[in-house]
Amino acid sequence: MPKWRIGYRTLKTAVGAALAIFIAQLLQLEFFVSAGIITVLCISITKKESVRASWERFVACVIGLGYGSVIFEVLGYHPISIAVLFLLFIPTAVAAGVKKGVVTSVVIMLHLYTYGNVSVTIWINEIFLITIGVGVALVMNMYMPSAEKTLIWKQVKLEECFKKIWKEYASYLRYGDNSWDGKEIAEVSSLIEEGKSLAMKNIDNHFLRHDDYFYHYFNMREKQLDVIESILPFISTLDRTVIQGEKMAGFMEELSQAVTPGNTAGYFLIRLNELREEIKKMELPKSRAEFEIRSSLFYILHEIEEYLLIKKMFKPDPKRTRTVSEKRLNRDHNGRDTN
């Protein structure tokens, strides 16, 4: 059974609708309930989306009032006129880029039909209804809960999965352990998708700054995941008895300990070059099997280098890097928040 709860958006919608109706009723406007309907339609999930949607609805309503006034006065107040009105208004709204305001405008246009006439007083009444509905929605939408805490926790979980993946790769190379089910790769993919979506909403909730750190972070990890997935088939072909596999396992274990928001790629690129030179100095392959192992090793090295270069290009935020480190320290052995 779904958990019953009242979210912040539901609360804003309820308060906003009641406030809009109260103001419209206080001003003794006709169809004052419509102000609440407009407010409900204008409540959005981000601040920038709220401004865009409110503007579209206001413009669409004004266009609708113009169309309604002309068509009803020319063709009369009967259902055929409504059909003609919609046939002309909807394409116009879409062409003007205000299609989100179509539903809101229908409410306003049908008021004209109910009045049975058009006058300056009626226009003023409708403009006031639109202004109150849109205005209250904008005020309600000025509060948006910060997504940063959630984004940081997704960051922490994602990095724990990355650590686990590198450790499992190392374990296979060193011990031939193939008991890992690979669930962390699927979990990382899901965390990245959720993180990018939430980061985009976070960006749209800031007017004065373009805080795209988290979006770039999850985008960077997505590229790294592609590298991790690409080397999996090659790791499975390596013979754990060869010394090169042992060296590679050691490098991957070291790499797993350094999965952080900070940038340690420079150090590991040096270590990677050292490992590549060690492998180059080894005896040439004496059999086809050894040749294939050596080829796989060099491919894995090449891909890990790409993994590190992706991280090197990312610009970390020192403040958030410290926050993630603190969050990680506050987790207990079961991976839960101990705060």
Side-chain angles (χ1 to χ4, degrees):
M1 183 177 178
K3 186 178 180 181
W4 189 87
R5 67 187 183 89
I6 298 176
Y8 78 94
R9 191 178 176 192
T10 302
L11 184 61
K12 287 196 302 183
T13 301
V15 173
L19 182 59
I21 292 172
F22 172 76
I23 295 172
Q25 193 171 8
L26 192 67
L27 295 175
Q28 297 183 341
L29 299 177
E30 295 290 336
F31 302 109
F32 54 81
V33 174
S34 297
I37 295 173
I38 294 171
T39 296
V40 171
L41 293 173
C42 289
I43 295 291
S44 301
I45 58 175
T46 69
K47 292 179 181 179
K48 289 182 181 178
E49 173 61 24
S50 172
V51 172
R52 287 191 292 265
S54 296
W55 171 249
E56 285 188 30
R57 287 184 169 90
F58 186 88
V59 172
C61 285
V62 173
I63 295 173
L65 276 173
Y67 267 96
S69 298
V70 173
I71 291 172
F72 287 139
E73 286 296 301
V74 172
L75 300 181
Y77 293 81
H78 47 74
I80 294 177
S81 300
I82 294 176
V84 173
L85 174 60
F86 286 175
L87 285 172
L88 293 176
F89 168 70
I90 293 175
T92 302
V94 172
V98 292
K99 62 182 180 181
K100 289 184 179 178
V102 169
V103 176
T104 313
S105 302
V106 168
V107 175
I108 298 300
M109 290 186 295
L110 290 180
H111 286 175
L112 298 180
Y113 183 83
T114 304
Y115 279 118
N117 66 90
V118 177
S119 67
V120 173
T121 302
I122 291 173
W123 261 73
I124 292 173
N125 184 87
E126 298 307 305
I127 292 296
F128 265 108
L129 287 176
I130 299 166
T131 303
I132 292 169
V134 170
V136 170
L138 284 173
V139 171
M140 291 292 106
N141 279 325
M142 285 303 100
Y143 169 73
M144 292 289 178
S146 175
E148 187 151 326
K149 184 176 180 181
T150 303
L151 285 165
I152 288 174
W153 274 113
K154 287 187 181 299
Q155 194 173 357
V156 170
K157 292 177 182 177
L158 188 150
E159 291 182 357
E160 288 177 350
C161 288
F162 265 66
K163 285 185 175 184
K164 175 69 172 177
I165 292 168
W166 283 119
K167 285 180 180 178
E168 291 296 338
Y169 280 8
S171 179
Y172 180 82
L173 288 175
R174 180 165 285 155
Y175 308 112
D177 182 5
N178 59 3
S179 60
W180 180 51
D181 58 8
K183 67 177 182 179
E184 282 76 15
I185 291 179
E187 188 175 349
V188 164
S189 181
S190 177
L191 284 168
I192 288 172
E193 185 177 346
E194 292 169 6
K196 287 178 71 174
S197 176
L198 189 57
M200 286 301 298
K201 290 180 183 178
N202 194 51
I203 292 171
D204 274 354
N205 277 329
H206 296 97
F207 288 117
L208 302 179
R209 60 189 176 95
H210 190 69
D211 189 1
D212 55 4
Y213 164 79
F214 285 107
Y215 181 81
H216 287 307
Y217 172 82
F218 286 106
N219 193 50
M220 176 269 293
R221 291 301 189 193
E222 186 174 38
K223 292 176 182 177
Q224 287 190 315
L225 178 62
D226 289 339
V227 174
I228 287 174
E229 289 179 315
S230 71
I231 65 176
L232 178 58
F234 292 87
I235 288 177
S236 63
T237 64
L238 296 181
D239 187 337
R240 66 187 179 89
T241 62
V242 298
I243 189 64
Q244 299 98 320
E246 177 67 26
K247 290 179 180 293
M248 186 72 75
F251 180 80
M252 288 180 175
E253 281 186 345
E254 190 177 357
L255 194 61
S256 73
Q257 298 302 317
V259 179
T260 68
N263 208 327
T264 56
Y267 165 76
F268 282 98
L269 283 168
I270 294 172
R271 287 277 292 109
L272 188 72
N273 285 328
E274 291 173 353
L275 182 58
R276 183 184 283 120
E277 291 303 316
E278 282 185 45
I279 295 175
K280 282 182 179 179
K281 291 177 182 178
M282 290 181 172
E283 290 185 19
L284 293 174
K286 297 178 180 178
S287 65
R288 180 182 178 85
E290 288 183 6
F291 176 79
E292 289 177 350
I293 289 172
R294 190 72 59 91
S295 297
S296 294
L297 282 169
F298 278 114
Y299 175 80
I300 292 170
L301 287 171
H302 172 76
E303 290 299 293
I304 292 177
E305 182 178 36
E306 180 66 20
Y307 172 93
L308 294 170
L309 288 173
I310 291 169
K311 183 61 180 296
K312 189 176 182 180
M313 293 171 64
F314 174 72
K315 294 180 180 179
D317 183 325
K319 180 181 177 181
R320 288 183 171 119
T321 299
R322 287 194 299 272
T323 303
V324 171
S325 298
E326 291 167 1
K327 290 286 185 183
R328 188 177 288 115
L329 288 173
N330 286 334
R331 290 173 72 87
D332 63 16
H333 297 297
N334 294 320
R336 294 176 300 210
D337 185 6
T338 56
N339 287 340

